[in-house]
Amino acid sequence: MTAGGEEPAVREVVIVGAGGMGRAWMDVVEARPGLRASAVVDLDLSAARSAAAERGWDVPVFTDAAEALRDAPADLLLNVTVPEAHRVVSEAALRAGVPVLSEKPVTPSVADAMRLAALSEACGVLLATSQSRRHSPGISAFRDAVRSLGGAGQLEAQFFQNPRFGGFRDVMPSPLLIDMAIHQFDQARFLLGSEPESVYCEEFSPPWSWYRGAAAAQAIFRFSDGARFGYAGSWCADGLTTSWNGSWRASAPGGSATWDGEGAVQVEGPGETAQDLPVGGGSEGLDAALTEFLTALDGGDPPSGEIRRNIRSLAMVEAAVESAASGVRVELDAVFARAGAAALAEARASGEMQIADRLSAWAGGPPR
Ligand SMILES: NC(=O)c1ccc[n+]([C@@H]2O[C@H](COP(=O)([O-])OP(=O)(O)OC[C@H]3O[C@@H](n4cnc5c(N)ncnc54)[C@H](O)[C@@H]3O)[C@@H](O)[C@H]2O)c1
């Protein structure tokens, strides 16, 4: 906002994280009228420098987001660091009064996300996650098809891929559940339009896996409207891979619908012949997530990734990991209760009463 209260003609963007995804975001910023990069930040200064130079940007580079926010103009911050750095970077921006669009997962833990949700509310500054895979013409067409059949009672996603990333995913615990499955879990919430309540999950390491952590999982979620969502995934599945959006099937009162994550949506009712439904065009992925975010900054609806809404996708991940470790079904309410207590204890211990007051009212998770 300018001093007069109008929206700025050009919004200055601080981009934190100049790895693979940070560079993808830089291209999105560059292509968007009304946005201008004002600084690039990375612990690895040479990565920040080369990313800026490749785009011909004459902007300062920093190793620390808080320092960049002190020295460079900022109307919004893109947090594209590794998950472990998300909390500290987003927190620095919120405290500086700068809205944040963060890559998923908004933080690695629900406790940290609850803390950030409370801080965002206390500061009155927007924090949203980009869940790029809920934004595509294909998933919207599939959701419309499922709705037209009366809503899914049973939803299945298969995700089988075989990337050789190197880097943090190869050495982290539960790489599939923590770094990837959040996409399909969030897509399931988008498709079902109700909220997850519990999960039973097993994760494991196929003998041929090249990851240190478990790279395969199967999970069954129960949603508040009684729907079941089944997930089967692997990140070490060579051959016959699914699309990166996953391969989907919904069973509904009026029939069934499928979507392979890339092409047509198919529907078939009782006694009918299966038909392909057209998938329209339109903005998707990062670009669509950015549009939602900017719309909110312009006074429009909150984005679908606003942290208090997005936190339920993160809670699905945490509950699945907990179920896999304990061997029992996990209720999401229990995840929120424990995470909220941990976040509250931290806020009280550090005398952050504005955060503590909110957290003490959020036993079942933050309000949506
Ligand atoms: N939406 C998607 O489809 C998608 C795809 C890939 C990655 N991601 C997400 O994007 C994020 C980044 O992933 P990536 O593949 O670009 O990782 P990456 O490892 O390639 O890049 C991350 C960068 O962050 C920097 N960094 C780490 N801590 C920092 C800090 N405190 N301050 C400044 N810089 C810091 C690192 O030096 C590195 O250059 C992750 O959260 C990941 O889950 C999303």
Side-chain angles (χ1 to χ4, degrees), residues 12 24 28-29 61 83 109 161 175 231 238 256 348 353 360:
E12 307 278 4
V28 170
V29 168
V61 293
S109 75
Q161 273 287 348
Y231 168 84
D238 278 332
S256 298
R348 283 190 176 139
M353 296 323 288
S360 53

Side-chain angles (χ1 to χ4, degrees), residues 269-282:
E272 294 174 358
T273 308
Q275 55 170 318
D276 283 0
L277 297 184
V279 172

Side-chain angles (χ1 to χ4, degrees), residues 228-308:
R228 302 297 197 277
F229 164 54
Y231 168 84
S234 171
W235 242 355
C236 55
D238 278 332
L240 297 178
T241 51
T242 63
S243 74
W244 276 83
N245 281 323
S247 179
W248 293 81
R249 180 188 175 96
S251 187
S256 298
T258 61
W259 177 50
D260 67 5
E262 277 172 349
V265 171
Q266 278 211 317
V267 286
E268 189 177 319
E272 294 174 358
T273 308
Q275 55 170 318
D276 283 0
L277 297 184
V279 172
S283 136
E284 58 185 287
L286 310 188
D287 201 49
L290 178 64
T291 298
E292 273 196 337
F293 188 76
L294 295 175
T295 300
L297 294 188
D298 287 338
D301 289 340
S304 62
E306 196 274 329
I307 185 166
R308 287 171 305 180

Side-chain angles (χ1 to χ4, degrees), residues 153-173:
Q154 199 173 357
L155 181 68
E156 295 289 325
Q158 294 193 330
F159 175 87
F160 288 86
Q161 273 287 348
N162 57 349
R164 265 76 172 178
F165 290 117
F168 71 89
R169 295 173 186 87
D170 282 10
V171 293
M172 68 188 280

Side-chain angles (χ1 to χ4, degrees), residues 22 26 50 91 102 106 169 172 180 191 197 209 214 218 226 232 252 257 261 266 272 304 310 313 328 347 355 365 368:
M26 289 176 205
S50 63
E91 197 160 325
S102 170
V106 68
R169 295 173 186 87
M172 68 188 280
M180 185 66 213
L191 291 166
E197 288 189 335
S209 173
Q218 309 225 179
Q266 278 211 317
E272 294 174 358
S304 62
N310 177 256
S313 301
V328 298
I355 297 178
R368 276 159 276 154

